[in-house]
Amino acid sequence: MFAKRLRRLALTAAVCLCLAGCQAPSAGGQPAGASSASARPDEPVALSVYLPKQYADPTTHYPIYEKLMDYQQAHPNIELTFVTPASNDLAEREAIINQLNAEILSGGGPDLFIMEGHRWTEINLFPDIEKAMGNGTFLDLTEAMEKEGLSREEDFYTAVLDAGQWEGRQYILPLGFSVPLMVSAADVLNASSFDLQRAMHTMDTLLTELLRIHQEQSILVIASFDALGALAQPVLDHEAHEVRLDTAAARRALELEKVFRTGDIAYGLAHGLFDPSDPAQVQDGFARGAPFAVLRKSDFSMNLLRQCQALGIETSVMPVPNEEGTVTAEIGSYAMGNRNTKHPEEVADLLLYLVSEECQSAAAYADSDLFPIRKGCMQACFDAQYRFSVYDASRERVTETYIAGRKERNGVPLDAARIRQFEAICDQITAAHYQTIWYRGVDLGKTENGENVASYLHMQYWNDEITLDELVETLSSKMRLYLDE
């Protein structure tokens, strides 16, 4: 079932030199030099789990930690220990990751990895997750999934799941993802001349439609999603060994992104920050059309939608389409096994548990407000996420005043109609990416001032210091060298 390979759709970036020497993945995913047999049933098995510090804090009770503890309780022969890089001390975090890199190179390291969406490119474990996958770093989960009877089409959002494949084999399990959405107050949008049918064709037609309305009535728009990351085509494709920045779709995305970030349609330049957790600002501003539209990843849009639900503001929501007229997902949290593990069966079992209905319905991933990769779990997932945000953050006795304050910031749970709309949007996903070339994966070197070259060139283009042709030519050249490393 998993030998059939859809076109790879993951956007790649940043060199991971620490893993460059890893062997290519074998068909069985067995670590080099390891025995094919796991520990005997009567022997305790200690599994080390890489998990960012905040999620492994037993006093906070994140859903991912709670479900891992449930798994350990249900499997008395399994003992879980956590490897948790410091989240608030970058120097300490970098030291821990450098040590882990050395352990992985020497045949060790944690047994499995649970990653969060927010990443610091230069000091991440596996800064380029796809390069690490291609270098044979992760355990092959293909047979374990088939043995479990899991169906790509029936159980998962297929394009998102397939982003964790390399040459038709499954090495990474996405746990949660987001999509770019446009959210507007329905009354304001309906009162305008916005042409929904034209807008939903492609990202180009949507943003062009907003610019047309801006010429009529000077609307302001927040467009803080990554336009290149919303394309179906991967800009940097390791498996095809191609750079696709100099294409019509990529060029147009860069042009439009610049207009919406630096032009007079940009809400932020005129009004500053928009706080979707502030009921007064949502009621007095957003409900009246300021901003006219908010274009963000869905995980950043969720609180605005909950606020509108609480305030009785009807909203219009549509996905930002990619260049093919479908939807592209950005993978947030994901998990994979270490090819070096001495317990491949136990690791695979725990990883498959994380994509079970139980865990997906509990929002058990290392991030927040993401869509679950497993179909049929969305309503329960968002209910669980809301309960955690409002009531369960500490599992301590809290006052009604404290809960009321959290409710004010988080709004109310989304209704069933909105969840059904999200499910329909997710059914339109045909592409999924782990990384962007700007912030979460590409390390094309540093400027003389120590800045990330890709981000620096991006800012130069926005500031009219270089042309689009210069940006595309310079970045494409550097990315080709990066692919050849």
Side-chain angles (χ1 to χ4, degrees), residues 121-406:
T121 300
E122 292 83 3
I123 50 175
N124 283 328
L125 190 65
F126 317 124
D128 186 334
I129 193 68
E130 306 199 51
K131 180 170 285 190
M133 178 165 57
N135 284 344
T137 306
F138 308 131
L139 189 68
D140 189 341
L141 303 170
T142 311
E143 278 76 22
M145 294 187 71
E146 292 174 341
K147 184 178 180 180
E148 190 73 12
L150 295 173
S151 165
R152 287 170 57 255
E153 294 82 4
E154 295 177 9
D155 294 323
F156 302 103
Y157 293 108
T158 306
V160 185
L161 180 70
D162 287 356
Q165 291 187 4
W166 185 267
E167 297 181 346
R169 311 289 294 183
Q170 193 79 40
Y171 295 100
I172 303 174
L173 294 180
L175 302 179
F177 62 92
S178 61
V179 299
L181 296 178
M182 187 185 91
V183 180
S184 296
D187 288 347
V188 174
L189 190 71
N190 294 337
S192 73
S193 61
F194 184 79
D195 187 332
L196 176 62
Q197 294 302 315
R198 180 188 302 169
M200 66 190 303
H201 287 167
T202 65
M203 184 201 309
D204 186 345
T205 61
L206 170 59
L207 298 182
T208 300
E209 181 66 7
L210 291 172
L211 287 172
R212 183 189 65 78
I213 296 174
H214 174 65
Q215 293 177 341
E216 295 179 355
Q217 59 188 89
S218 298
I219 62 170
L220 296 174
V221 173
I222 296 173
S224 60
F225 70 102
D226 177 9
L228 285 183
L231 296 177
Q233 66 172 32
V235 173
L236 186 63
D237 192 330
H238 283 296
E239 199 163 21
H241 203 76
E242 291 181 359
V243 174
R244 300 184 182 129
L245 187 60
D246 193 9
T247 66
R251 281 176 168 270
R252 184 58 175 160
L254 289 168
E255 288 175 342
L256 288 168
E257 181 184 45
K258 178 180 177 180
V259 170
F260 277 83
R261 295 294 188 95
T262 65
D264 57 3
I265 195 173
Y267 174 94
L269 295 180
H271 284 285
L273 296 178
F274 172 70
D275 184 0
S277 67
D278 180 356
Q281 193 169 357
V282 174
Q283 182 74 72
D284 298 338
F286 180 76
R288 300 177 184 180
F292 178 86
V294 175
L295 286 78
R296 282 179 172 161
K297 293 191 306 176
S298 55
D299 52 334
F300 284 104
S301 301
M302 215 54 65
N303 211 67
L304 173 59
L305 292 173
R306 288 193 292 255
Q307 283 290 344
C308 289
Q309 185 99 34
L311 296 167
I313 301 169
E314 186 178 352
T315 54
S316 175
V317 179
M318 66 171 286
V320 177
N322 57 34
E323 75 277 22
E324 298 174 355
T326 55
V327 179
T328 298
E330 181 178 304
I331 298 168
S333 183
Y334 49 94
M336 53 274 189
N338 187 343
R339 190 168 177 260
N340 296 327
T341 183
K342 303 302 186 292
H343 307 292
E345 293 179 10
E346 288 82 0
V347 167
D349 186 72
L350 178 51
L351 289 170
L352 293 182
Y353 168 72
L354 294 178
V355 293
S356 67
E357 289 186 37
E358 175 185 344
C359 284
Q360 288 276 284
S361 295
Y365 40 69
D367 218 321
S368 60
D369 290 335
L370 297 175
F371 293 136
I373 188 177
R374 189 159 187 139
K375 294 181 179 180
C377 297
M378 194 168 295
Q379 181 74 65
C381 174
F382 277 99
D383 288 346
Q385 178 61 46
Y386 180 81
R387 286 194 302 272
F388 170 76
S389 299
V390 174
Y391 303 103
D392 299 338
S394 67
R395 294 291 176 91
E396 302 289 340
R397 184 180 298 276
V398 295
T399 66
E400 290 299 322
T401 301
Y402 179 82
I403 292 176
R406 294 178 70 87

Side-chain angles (χ1 to χ4, degrees), residues 434-455:
Y434 284 97
Q435 301 160 165
T436 76
I437 68 171
W438 309 121
Y439 310 113
R440 300 202 312 161
V442 165
D443 185 358
L444 302 179
K446 306 291 181 202
T447 68
E448 293 180 356
N449 297 326
E451 298 176 85
N452 179 286
V453 165
S455 299

